[in-house]
Amino acid sequence: MSRESASPAVTITLDDRELRVSPGMTVLEAAAQGGVELPTLCHDPRLEPYASCWLCVVEIEGRRTFSPACSTRVENGMRIRTNSEGIMRARRLALELMLSNHYGDCRAPCTLACPAGIDVQGYIGLIANGKYAEALQLIKENNPFPAVIGRICPRPCETACRRNLVDEAVAIDYLKRFVADLDLFSEDGFHPSLKPAGDRRVAIVGAGPAGLSAAYYLIQEGVRPVIYEAQDKPGGMLRYGIPDYRLPQDVLDLEIGRILSLGVELRTGVRLGEDISLAELTQDFDAVILTLGAWKSRPLRVAGEDLPGVIGGIEFLRSVAEGKEVALGERVTVIGGGNTAIDAARSALRVGAKEVNLYYRRTRNEMPATSAEIDEALEEGVKITYLASPVRLEGTEAGVACIWLTRMELGEPDSSGRRRPLPVAGSEFAHMVNTVISAIGQYADTRHLAENPGLVDERDLLVSDPASGATSLPGVFAAGDLASDTDIAIGAIAGGKKAAAAVMEFLRGGTYVPREELLVKKDHFRELTAEDYADRPRIAREIMPMLPVEERRGGFREIEQGYSEEQVLREAARCMECGCQDVHECRLKAYAEEYGAGLPKRIGDYQRHPVDDSHIYINRDPSKCILCGRCVRICSELQGLSVLGYVQRGFASQIAPSFAKALGEDSLCISCGQCVSACPVGALTEKSPHIKSVPLTEESEESFCGLCSLGCPLEFRSHGSLVTRVKERYLPGWGGKLCRKGRFEQPGVNQEERRCLSLNGEPVDSRKARKELAALLNGSERPVLQISPYLAGETIDLFLEIAVRRGLAVKPGRLERLNPAWTELLQLPRREDFFASLPEAEGVVLLVGDMEEANNVAVTDCLAASHRGPLALWTAGRAGPAAARAEARSWPVLDELGEAIEQASSKTGSLRILVNPEELRSGYGPALEEQIAAFLLKAARSGRADLVLLWNSRNAGYLLRRLAELQLPLCRDLSFDLLLDVGGEIREALGQRRFVRWGRKADNAQLFIPLSEDYWRKGTMEPSGRPQLKAGKLKINRRELLLDGF
Amino acid sequence: MKVKEIVVGLGSCGIAAGAREVLEALQEGVRERELDIRVSATGCVGACHREPIIEVRTEEGSRRLYGEMTVKRARAFLDQGFQEDGGEAAKHRLAEDEPFFGKQLKLVLRNSGRIDPESIENYLAAGGYAALEKALTSMKPAEVVAEVKASGLRGRGGAGFPTGLKWSFAARAAGAKKYMICNADEGDPGAFMDRSLLEGDPHAVLEGMIIAAYAIGADEGYIYVRAEYPLAIARLERAIVAARERGFLGDSILGGSFSFQVHVKQGAGAFVCGEETALLASIEGKRGMPRLRPPFPAEKGLWRCPTNINNVETLANIPRIIVEGAAAFASLGTEKSKGTKVFALAGKVKRGGMVEVPMGTTLREVIFDIGGGIQDNREFKAVQLGGPSGGCLPAELLDTPVDYDSLTATGAIMGSGGMIVLDVTTCMVDVAKFFLSFTQSESCGKCTFCRLGTKRMLEILENISNGKGHMEDLDELEELALTIKRSSLCGLGQTAPNPVLTTLKYFRDEYEEHIRNHRCPAMQCKALIQYRIDPEICAGCTLCARFCPTQAASGEAREPHSIDPDLCIRCGICYEGCRFKAIEIVTGVPK
């Protein structure tokens, strides 16, 4: 590791550039120094060079084959080419080969089915974890109308849901509605952050879902949108095409209000072509988005269509929505099979029709209306006749009186793939009617657009680019039904967002090209069937509470009442997490996109293995494994364990735990999670026993682990307030490892926010808390301050300062019971480079007492070093399972420690002893502790051994040494009447004594004052055997600190 | 003629053919008849096509070889006293002047089939361990290296790297501990040179190895031999014990200061373990997976110590070089390929077996003069050289001399000496598929291209032989092949596409026939052929119908039969069985 160059540099030529680099560097490292990041999947800076993935290949002059840069060392005069066409092709081919055997789903089918591309799996997972605000925010990245869409969407996501292969789809839409309503009816709902407003203005024609969505995303980019709306109110089809019993107007008003409140300007009652022209708009604005909608009903094309009493479905619904009186008469016939037809039929019942007949020319299977809507219509009394089509209408000037229909039968499939309905000869029949509502489709009125040449085609349809909504006029875009024939509302919303993005690109002077994501799908290999999910438990879908049928007729009250929170949590837990947990970090996906690698045209054989979910913290999906070998190597090289290995040969090669065991059953595995951190794809992923694992974009917070005195560098990954994972950090020469506790068992993670509490558990404000504290102190004879060694060094200092100021006796956590010899040992000069020097270390390391649970990384570091080189690992006392794997000498009885030291120091000049006083005391008792402490003190003083003291908490050594330096009185017994406990995780038998706690858990404290995670995670820390480091600035505002004045 | 000794060839090939029973019958027969004849065993004689073989040695000093020996024949020979005139014996005599032996030059194989491999006395009598004695007593290690360098000997394992140069690297490498390894992990399908040598003359290999260890300064060594060579292992272990007893091996060899310990390490039979770095990993107890070189084993080998690895045949050449000198060795062969080379001649050739010829002998001489041409006098189509890493050469290249550089120039390689002769009944797509499926399933799985690329190539070949190929497939094959060659860590991946590339190069028309016309000219690809009965010839004997396992062949007795192509599984039983030759195979016929 230490190849810092005292030795002379070598000169290489990297893509025609001369570069001076250190000898011993790999070509990969040298290229990075020269600013060329070579792709690699198998390389890991923590490991020996390996070369398996062949992505980092380069051409080296004079060599016949490509060279893997990760394991080729630089030589003087080496001429390297990193980007020739041959190299790029080879990399692409390597990626394509890996993709051809990478069986999985990058993204869940629900997410892919959503026209707006909402991260369905992501928000369902957040909901399952109770993170409703984060879920809402994630939805709003692609959909500003979650409360609306949560009510009315035909739900292509649920159709695609894999749960359909088990029982029933997850109720995705209802879950969305829950978080949307929660936000919508709260005082402080979600508002997106807006970039500062510039002077660019965009006109949007139409305040329907497409127009409002475009405005919502444009204003976030700092563009000022102005919406022109022909109707009196905004909402478009959402308002005028969907009846209130499905979408109450107040919900729509609130949701539109959220968009307008961002600063979107709305001008209603302005009609394009009459009140304002497109030419004016293009002149006055930087860009125009047309979202006129499709407001015309398609004609039936039968005789008698012009009779009074024959009306269009959309016109009818609009009149109802506007509250106009519509005289339908008693007998109403609806023609059509879409949601508009069903809505019209159900609305007709609600405005007074006695009998509503709906005729559809195909069967229910072909009916475009949502199945639930059809069921509800039938429940309410709508009569539906399939395979019937009108042939003529008869009546008088007073109105239509009779409708003639013919029976139909289904013939060959037509261009839409549905079977074509054909009339059955001689099957005509008649029906008496008062009103006929024709709802067989809608179209956009493009009369006013036709003035602009090229904008509209010969069939009067607007011509626009489906990818961007761009029309033939520069700066004029289209979205919604106008651009996409007629589509569902979420399609219009997606179109609006896309048009906004296209406008932004247009304003920057470019052309919008949607980002192509490379997506591996299981269905690409083979379509999944119910058999694939035969082992999944069946869990019933939560039932939506509905308005009783008898209460629906005659009114427009909302039918679906919404889930309760309990229902929501249960329903969200049904999600099977189909999309890859690693989708946001997968290196294979990223490189495939970068190098333009595609999925193979012809799928050959592929490896498909069952998912191994036997381990509590690790999910193993061998079907996604690309055999880079990082997990295998990290387990053996860094941990010294070799839990994972290669099995089989050729195409059948795979990586598996030893002896074909499940990972969770392999006793060698110590759950360090290093393999997960090494895996560049989703074959090994973290799983948390406490939260539902869900792939989310993450933010990272750098810190150090506080769970033992090694203080491994780590980062907390989170999405919003959800801490998703803890990952190791690699600092040159140090770190890159975590143990089970550090990675998977960090306390305090995802805990509820806390407030100050008084004795009876009542929340109090901080002023009152301070008062109570002062009163307790004043009434106390002998108060004691107990300080937790898990706290950050700065936090410890802060409280020690108070102890000094007040002359308080201090209890150092549980450490006060330790033999005083350890404090003396702490004050001897220490070597700080022990762990950094391990890879090249010689001689003997002697572990005294079992430290595997307490200081796991130290033990596995020594174990791995002993496997690599001339370092011998010896143990005195009970060795844990990892240490027992070293080819070591052991003295199982600790009384023989003297002999061990004797032998070790006589064998080699270099003897290092690792000891954890806390473990020693708890494992062997105070008598042996005293004896050994004295013994070690002697050995250390005589210089026969270097001693490294390890502790069970981050700053135990620091706290003990500071106490000695400050000469504060120590409290070693229970002779106090008030315990002031800081950060304590320790519960003592306190009897009648009073108890105040600053910390994370209130427990039975008289007064509880919360300390934020910062007080543990940030600030100084003093790792054992490593240089002191600062984990980041502790945000302690002393003025605000509750201790102020105390 | 007075028979003094009868020697039975007890190589694995002979034993498989029944030589052990012949040996026992001869021993018993001699005892019963109270004859004064010694009966003993030797290794492989080389003429595998005539096993079991015995050699009869007379008091007068003549030696005669007899093949196709059986227990019955052996007894009869004893009774007849090996009378040749018109008797059984004459028919089975392998005349020494037969072209099979006559065109060969047996130097490496000088003792194989001559001496008893289990007797160190035999080896010593044949001049064994003289080289070791010479090296240890009169040469410095550097002089040994120089001698081997001067001989021009190149590694017989396949790559042909100059042996002396390799030794000099290991000799120069810094380190107190060095290892000398004999690579006996012979894995090419159809190759048995190393096995025969170890079975026939284990001491020669051992002697070469000890000399090499002395030259590079190694005090410990391993012979890495596959566990499926039990006879070779048994004879090696016996040889090691005998050599140690005689002071040729172990502590202070020949009373001097040089010590060398040898272990036999049995490999589990993974082909890739023949690759040096994978072999080292395997000895260390790890999975046999290659790693990138450099560092070369000479620098960091076994347990990170400097290590020299040589192939069996390479080492067997050493004693002669030391005894006779580099010049004598270099006088044989071509400019850049010195000495002789042992081949395992197999396939559709009349006389197959272990063949040793001077470098530079042409393929034609080996196949037609030594091998006697093609079985059943069919037409020669190709010769496959170098095993799965090698290639197929057509008739036009029969005059290519066997030396490293000439063979590499054709796209094939010398390899370890596998030579498989193919005739017109062999489909070249099928041959490519066979070798590729071998390398694919033997890939260690480490490198992306070798693990997955060869699999995709194999799938393309399968499509072609199933009549589902496209002309674009040939480009895809070539792109995959060339990229795999350039992007693999070890020789396995770097050479795995060779059988495909050479067949594409020399037999492209055959691939195109499969793709364009759905024809397999060799009538081998089952999806592309049909069996048909000529009604003019068929006598209605019903034999085919009775043989047919799927009832595809049917008909009334004494009426012409027919074969239903949908039921037919192309097993060929009817074709083989028809007494009237009424069944023909056709290809390119749409179903």
Side-chain angles (χ1 to χ4, degrees), chain A residues 66 89 100 605 648 650-651, chain B residues 287 440 443 459 479 486:
Chain A
F66 293 142
R89 280 169 71 99
S100 76
D605 202 0
Q648 309 281 6
F651 183 69
Chain B
R287 176 179 166 99
Q440 152 56 216
S443 162
E459 285 170 349
E479 179 174 11
R486 297 189 76 181

Side-chain angles (χ1 to χ4, degrees), chain A residues 318-325:
Chain A
R318 184 160 129 200
S319 301
V320 173
E322 286 172 341
K324 288 182 187 157
E325 198 74 28

